[in-house]
Amino acid sequence: TDANTMATECCYCGNPTMIPARFDGALKPDEIIPFQKTRKEAAAALKAFYEGKRLLPAAFKKGNRVEHVQAMYVPYWLFDAKIKAQATFRAKHIHEYDDGDENVKEISVYECYREGKMTFLRVPVDGSEKMDDTFMESIEPFDYSQLEDFTPAYLTGALADRYDVDADAAIPRADERIAQSAADLLEDTVEDYDEVEINGEPDIRKKKGDVAYVMAPVWILTTRYENTPYMFLMNGQTGKMAGSLPYDHAKSYVYFAISTLISWPILYFLIDFVSEDDGIRFSLLVLFVAFIAALFCGYAVRKYFIDQMSNVHPAPDATEYLKKGSFKLTDEDDTYLYTRTIRTKKGKRRDDD
């Protein structure tokens, strides 16, 4: 054990043992989410996680055995915050039409200002250095309606660590997620344009709210393949599983080759069909262009299957924790800037600013 361990295993019998002195004062959690999923359900969820993974090595699935399954309570900080945010966006109206023997595209550009306020409740940040933050965010969310006042009795049968990342150190991650959500909410109000993108960084002003220290249930499962350990985490309340699986490189290139070979003739005939030019030289050019496009298709298919092998990703924002009905748009202004006209004729283009 280390100084952060709250519950551990007895070195003689292997049963979980609590360390009462480490629940005192500020080290005592405010609340806890009890386990809802059992060890058996965790092992079954891992097997289900393997399903549908086309690049999973056959030897991994056939001979894989779970080496260790451990229940653990992980420390979390939950942050409340009231936010005032403002941002400027660059928006475009795009109008395309035919003008005799020319194709015309008119792009009207606007500067759009938005300001709003919103409230976020219980944005979670992992309070343990030992636990990978990206892993922990991948098994969110937890159902806070099942929070209970903390008592050490809940830790029976599980390991537990107290926090070693204090609230002040955890705040920046919560703020980062909140800022992204605020920008997205404001951008969603820039409506009736064909393209919208933020111009610079949003200005976020935060009024600090309550901070809670809670313990959340996590199943940690460990397996091994070709002498390499693989760890998986499961939300002990909802059953959401997160982890990264090995993949068969040779099989991934088989999918790449098959996708390329199938898409190549299809793309060739599509390009040739919409083209008006004829001739052997042009046909060879179309064949080459179609091949390059087919390679991109093959790459996309291979990447898709590889991406399926892992669902461990940082949480993009804190929208899951936005208080229902709290977002209010307080100011907006759309200003026309300019129009750019692009005229295309027989492969030539002329810009009129």
Side-chain angles (χ1 to χ4, degrees):
T1 67
D2 59 30
N4 299 315
T5 303
M6 300 171 68
T8 185
E9 290 182 345
C10 172
C11 60
Y12 298 105
C13 66
N15 291 326
T17 303
M18 289 174 283
I19 307 176
R22 297 182 184 175
F23 299 113
D24 294 340
L27 301 181
K28 180 181 178 181
D30 301 309
E31 296 174 287
I32 189 169
I33 301 174
F35 272 89
Q36 302 295 322
K37 300 298 181 180
T38 65
R39 180 186 300 269
K40 185 177 180 179
E41 289 174 312
L46 181 58
K47 289 184 179 180
F49 186 68
Y50 299 162
E51 299 300 323
K53 305 298 192 295
R54 292 178 178 270
L55 300 185
L56 190 68
F60 180 91
K61 190 172 183 179
K62 183 178 180 180
N64 182 259
R65 296 291 184 272
V66 178
E67 289 188 343
H68 190 62
V69 182
Q70 179 63 60
M72 184 171 185
Y73 279 105
V74 177
Y76 271 92
W77 295 104
L78 305 183
F79 297 96
D80 294 350
K82 291 184 177 181
I83 300 296
K84 288 185 178 180
Q86 59 186 34
T88 302
F89 301 90
R90 187 61 59 93
K92 297 177 181 179
H93 279 311
I94 301 176
H95 178 50
E96 297 182 82
Y97 59 93
D98 292 333
D99 184 14
D101 58 354
E102 291 184 321
N103 294 319
V104 182
K105 177 188 284 189
E106 293 181 345
I107 305 172
S108 298
V109 181
Y110 296 78
E111 185 176 82
C112 304
Y113 172 81
R114 295 293 186 270
E115 183 176 317
K117 59 182 181 179
M118 62 213 77
T119 300
F120 293 89
L121 298 177
R122 300 194 165 189
V123 179
V125 179
D126 165 30
S128 172
E129 284 280 3
K130 296 178 183 177
M131 305 302 290
D132 184 279
D133 293 343
T134 304
F135 248 117
M136 298 306 295
E137 291 178 6
S138 297
I139 61 172
E140 292 180 20
F142 290 92
D143 180 1
Y144 296 144
S145 68
Q146 295 182 348
L147 277 167
E148 302 284 351
D149 291 337
F150 177 81
T151 63
Y154 279 113
L155 302 185
T156 301
L159 302 182
D161 276 357
R162 70 175 177 86
Y163 70 85
D164 53 5
V165 176
D166 63 24
D168 289 340
I171 285 176
R173 178 55 184 151
D175 288 349
E176 181 182 5
R177 295 177 64 176
I178 288 170
Q180 185 60 56
S181 289
D184 291 343
L185 288 165
L186 292 177
E187 182 173 343
D188 288 343
T189 69
V190 185
E191 300 176 314
D192 300 323
Y193 291 96
D194 298 301
E195 294 181 9
V196 177
E197 62 181 13
I198 194 167
N199 188 11
E201 297 293 327
D203 179 19
I204 308 293
R205 287 160 286 170
K206 183 182 73 171
K207 182 179 179 181
K208 291 184 178 180
D210 294 336
V211 180
Y213 169 35
V214 307
M215 304 297 287
V218 176
W219 283 104
I220 304 174
L221 302 95
T222 306
T223 187
R224 187 174 294 274
Y225 174 66
E226 294 184 345
N227 294 321
T228 300
Y230 289 86
M231 185 181 73
F232 303 86
L233 299 185
M234 189 182 89
N235 185 315
Q237 179 196 40
T238 67
K240 185 177 181 181
M241 180 72 70
S244 298
L245 292 164
Y247 70 90
D248 188 324
H249 288 263
K251 192 182 294 185
S252 74
Y253 284 107
V254 170
Y255 279 107
F256 169 81
I258 291 173
S259 301
T260 299
L261 292 175
I262 290 175
S263 59
W264 188 9
I266 295 173
L267 290 168
Y268 171 79
F269 286 113
L270 284 175
I271 297 172
D272 188 60
F273 178 76
V274 299
S275 301
E276 296 179 355
D277 295 339
D278 292 317
I280 295 177
R281 183 176 296 178
F282 180 76
S283 295
L284 291 175
L285 177 62
V286 171
L287 192 65
F288 175 74
V289 171
F291 176 69
I292 298 300
L295 288 175
F296 279 103
C297 289
Y299 169 80
V301 170
R302 179 176 182 267
K303 184 177 184 303
Y304 170 76
F305 286 132
I306 291 176
D307 289 345
Q308 282 189 329
M309 306 306 290
S310 176
N311 65 345
V312 179
H313 307 290
D317 53 40
T319 305
E320 184 77 32
Y321 308 99
L322 178 70
K323 182 180 179 181
K324 187 176 181 180
S326 70
F327 175 66
K328 298 289 187 294
L329 187 66
T330 56
D331 193 11
E332 60 180 315
D333 181 66
D334 293 10
T335 303
Y336 169 76
L337 297 179
Y338 61 87
T339 296
R340 182 187 179 196
T341 302
I342 302 174
R343 297 178 178 273
T344 304
K345 181 179 180 180
K346 295 182 179 180
K348 298 180 180 180
R349 192 174 78 178
R350 183 174 76 253
D351 293 358
D352 300 327
D353 291 326

